[in-house]
Amino acid sequence: LCSYCENIQLMASAFAKFFSEKSSVREFLSKLCCSYSNFDCVNGDCDECSDIENLVKSKLQSCCGDEVTNYYRWEKNVNFYQRNIISDDTVNEVIAKFIPDFTSYKLHCYVQNEQKNVLKESIEELSDDEIIIICDYAERFTTRARREIQSSYFGKKLISLFTARMHIGKKQFSYIIASDDNTQSKFAVYACITRLLEIAKGVNENLNHLKIFSDGCASQFKNKYGLTNLINAPTEWGLTAEWNFFGTGHGKSACDGLGGSIKRGVHRK
């Protein structure tokens, strides 16, 4: 789950027992914005849904502002997230915290919806001399022996899996590049994309434009080195290139299914 989406739903659940009408948390959130696909609405420029505080209060029972409520929230602690309970807050205090979070949430929804539409349109309008690569790293595969001793658990070998879905004209291909280099660094990404393009040019040697779609992981994709690859693409790869990043927390794609399928297949062997 996306931390942005989950936290706003957890916070909205604090209002659940005070809804003036029978409604789910999802329905409640949908009524606070005319359209999550309209930039004026998500940017606070819409006359109908710009006043979030009044919209929230209009959906709640009157005179509940001083009632105490509680809710969970995912918060980052050093290098990982943990779910903490927020207690002893009145409804009015929760509303005050909810407004800035919901403002960010609306923009977050807009970005991830727009990015999905860009990918869909890019695939539908793809010409014969263009290629789309949707890529991601799967969770590292842990090797196992058929009959292993107990202490071998602490010395298992990991295999890095770079998964990719390629669209070349109207043709589609799925690839997984396995490697014992577990850094999953920007250099590994460059090497994997270069290899995929070599395969793609075996299918169509007249490719002249590349569109890459990935999540925004800074150590792998969204960094200055990746952008440098775009500048050097005509000389390094022999075509022009662009790189599109999915909305934060919404980078799921066909690549996730590829990683799971190959791991399951290996374990069945």
Side-chain angles (χ1 to χ4, degrees), residues 50-59 92 95-96 98-99:
S50 59
D51 193 343
I52 301 173
E53 183 175 359
N54 283 335
L55 278 172
V56 172
K57 289 182 177 179
S58 69
K59 309 299 179 187
N92 283 336
I95 291 175
F98 177 82
I99 292 172

Side-chain angles (χ1 to χ4, degrees), residues 107-120:
L107 185 59
H108 169 77
C109 289
Y110 176 80
V111 170
Q112 64 101 356
N113 285 331
E114 284 296 299
Q115 195 58 52
K116 281 184 179 179
N117 292 334
V118 168
L119 175 58
K120 182 179 178 181

Side-chain angles (χ1 to χ4, degrees), residues 21-204:
E21 299 177 358
K22 187 176 180 180
S23 175
S24 67
V25 169
R26 181 170 294 182
E27 290 171 339
F28 168 73
L29 292 173
S30 68
K31 294 175 182 177
L32 299 183
C33 183
C34 302
S35 172
Y36 288 96
S37 299
N38 187 323
F39 185 74
D40 287 339
C41 291
V42 303
N43 199 43
D45 297 328
C46 174
D47 295 334
E48 298 294 327
C49 60
S50 59
D51 193 343
I52 301 173
E53 183 175 359
N54 283 335
L55 278 172
V56 172
K57 289 182 177 179
S58 69
K59 309 299 179 187
L60 304 180
Q61 301 169 4
S62 58
C63 304
C64 69
D66 294 327
E67 295 286 341
V68 176
T69 186
N70 55 67
Y71 59 96
Y72 285 100
R73 183 177 182 83
W74 287 98
E75 296 181 335
K76 195 167 186 177
N77 183 4
V78 191
N79 294 320
F80 61 91
Y81 278 88
Q82 62 183 23
R83 197 170 75 158
N84 297 323
I85 188 169
I86 311 297
S87 58
D88 300 330
D89 278 355
T90 64
V91 172
N92 283 336
E93 289 173 335
V94 177
I95 291 175
K97 296 177 181 178
F98 177 82
I99 292 172
D101 282 8
F102 184 71
T103 301
S104 300
Y105 168 75
K106 289 194 296 182
L107 185 59
H108 169 77
C109 289
Y110 176 80
V111 170
Q112 64 101 356
N113 285 331
E114 284 296 299
Q115 195 58 52
K116 281 184 179 179
N117 292 334
V118 168
L119 175 58
K120 182 179 178 181
E121 292 172 4
S122 296
I123 293 174
E124 291 174 350
E125 299 172 1
L126 192 66
S127 62
D128 292 337
D129 57 358
E130 292 182 323
I131 174 175
I132 291 176
I133 295 179
I134 308 168
C135 57
D136 195 9
Y137 269 107
E139 184 177 349
R140 294 177 179 87
F141 178 74
T142 305
T143 58
R144 297 177 182 176
R146 186 176 294 275
R147 292 174 61 85
E148 59 184 17
I149 61 175
Q150 294 174 340
S151 57
S152 70
Y153 176 84
F154 301 99
K156 293 184 182 297
K157 184 178 180 180
L158 299 177
I159 296 177
S160 182
L161 300 175
F162 184 86
T163 59
R165 180 76 167 174
M166 291 202 303
H167 297 259
I168 305 173
K170 301 303 179 183
K171 299 178 180 179
Q172 301 179 25
F173 305 89
S174 297
Y175 287 95
I176 297 176
I177 299 177
S179 171
D180 56 0
D181 177 9
N182 289 301
T183 59
Q184 297 188 352
S185 67
K186 50 192 174 290
F187 306 112
V189 171
Y190 172 80
C192 290
I193 292 178
T194 300
R195 178 57 183 143
L196 290 173
L197 288 174
E198 290 173 355
I199 296 171
K201 288 185 177 181
V203 177
N204 182 356

Side-chain angles (χ1 to χ4, degrees), residues 5 9 157:
C5 298
Q9 292 197 45
K157 184 178 180 180

